[in-house]
Amino acid sequence: MDIEGIVESIKQVVKQRSGKYLKDIQVDILRGTLNNEQYRRIARLTHVTEDTIKKEVSLLWRLLSEVFGEKVTKFNIKEVFMRSPSSVYLVTSNTREDWADAPDVSFFLGRETDLNILKQWVIQDRCRLLTIVGLPGKGKTSLTVKLAQEIGGDFQGIIWRSLLNSLSIQDLIKDWILFLSHQENIDLPERLDQQINLLISYLKQHRYLLILDNVETILAMRATKCRIVLR
């Protein structure tokens, strides 16, 4: 398992066992530690002070020690994780993902408050439809990708699609159905309403996260219960 795989798996273990989420800075520390980087370099890469890193390091190792049931340090984190029974389950997880042309958010910074609000709406409040709106350049796309990465373990699959190139509703529905049916349902109903009913039937059987980026290119955004505005 590579470093990114270990990082993502540890995040899931923490969420499953404690109900908490690692902060972005803690994820950066974890990744840097697994790459044998010094705290000073991690601080430079994440644009924070060494004192901030040391404070978060203390909180991180304390949390991971509680989660794994033994003392965790920068010297043994990988070994502790690999000994954990949960690592076997997470390595063999069969979550299906199709990110298409989603951007890379490896160095996502800021928006932590917005991210936590969105996590609560999806995971705790079980909000089924969520919209993120804001002026161009406010980071809607990056925030959505980061959110999906953080909560992906709570879903059986993730599908990301951008409507920037005006993908038709018919093509979009067909695309989703093929993904959900593992490419088995080739003979789709001719009428759009029948295709939508088929899509709904799949979603009733499985918990999938469907993400539409740039949806404003095809329709005006209506108010929804779970709606966040980036400013």
Side-chain angles (χ1 to χ4, degrees):
M1 179 182 270
D2 61 14
I3 297 299
E4 285 305 317
I6 294 175
V7 170
E8 290 303 316
S9 295
I10 290 177
K11 286 163 58 179
Q12 290 185 43
V13 172
V14 171
K15 180 173 61 176
Q16 291 171 358
R17 295 187 179 181
S18 70
K20 299 178 181 179
Y21 292 91
L22 293 182
K23 302 176 186 176
D24 289 339
I25 186 64
Q26 292 176 331
V27 173
D28 290 333
I29 292 170
L30 181 59
R31 182 182 295 110
T33 300
L34 291 169
N35 280 311
N36 298 315
E37 294 177 347
Q38 298 294 319
Y39 292 151
R40 181 179 303 174
R41 174 171 170 76
I42 297 174
R44 188 166 64 251
L45 291 174
T46 54
H47 306 290
V48 299
T49 65
E50 272 193 77
D51 288 340
T52 298
I53 291 294
K54 291 177 180 178
K55 177 183 176 181
E56 292 299 334
V57 160
S58 177
L59 295 174
L60 174 62
W61 299 145
R62 185 186 310 164
L63 173 59
L64 293 182
S65 296
E66 294 174 357
V67 166
F68 288 104
E70 61 178 287
K71 185 175 179 59
V72 174
T73 70
K74 67 178 181 179
F75 301 109
N76 71 350
I77 175 58
K78 186 174 182 179
E79 289 73 20
V80 169
F81 167 71
M82 296 308 293
R83 287 199 303 267
S84 172
S86 59
S87 67
V88 177
Y89 167 75
L90 291 169
V91 169
T92 58
S93 173
N94 61 353
T95 299
R96 301 177 64 231
E97 299 179 1
D98 184 346
W99 291 96
D101 55 352
D104 179 16
V105 293
S106 300
F107 296 99
F108 181 88
L109 297 174
R111 295 290 184 190
E112 189 168 305
T113 299
D114 294 324
L115 188 61
N116 289 332
I117 291 173
L118 293 169
K119 288 178 184 177
Q120 178 179 327
W121 284 350
V122 177
I123 304 303
Q124 298 179 19
D125 300 342
R126 293 287 178 172
C127 182
R128 294 176 178 273
L129 177 62
L130 186 152
T131 58
I132 301 175
V133 299
L135 294 173
K138 290 296 183 180
K140 300 184 294 297
T141 297
S142 295
L143 177 60
T144 306
V145 174
K146 188 65 175 178
L147 172 66
Q149 292 178 346
E150 293 280 345
I151 65 177
D154 288 87
F155 294 85
Q156 293 174 270
I158 300 172
I159 312 174
W160 168 283
R161 289 294 179 269
S162 172
L163 299 181
L164 191 60
N165 295 320
S166 300
L167 184 68
S168 71
I169 185 63
Q170 291 84 357
D171 289 339
L172 179 64
I173 297 296
K174 180 180 180 180
D175 184 38
W176 278 347
I177 291 175
L178 290 176
F179 182 88
L180 295 173
S181 65
H182 297 261
Q183 306 295 323
E184 294 177 358
N185 202 329
I186 305 300
D187 297 323
L188 299 178
E190 292 185 4
R191 287 168 35 196
L192 179 59
D193 62 325
Q194 294 175 327
Q195 295 176 8
I196 292 175
N197 288 335
L198 180 59
L199 173 63
I200 293 174
S201 70
Y202 277 117
L203 295 176
K204 286 181 177 179
Q205 300 173 45
H206 305 285
R207 181 169 164 79
Y208 275 83
L209 179 62
L210 308 183
I211 306 166
L212 284 179
D213 191 33
N214 295 298
V215 71
E216 69 275 7
T217 61
I218 61 171
L219 52 82
M221 295 303 299
R222 297 182 179 180
T224 60
K225 181 180 179 182
C226 301
R227 181 173 183 265
I228 193 167
V229 180
L230 301 189
R231 304 187 186 282

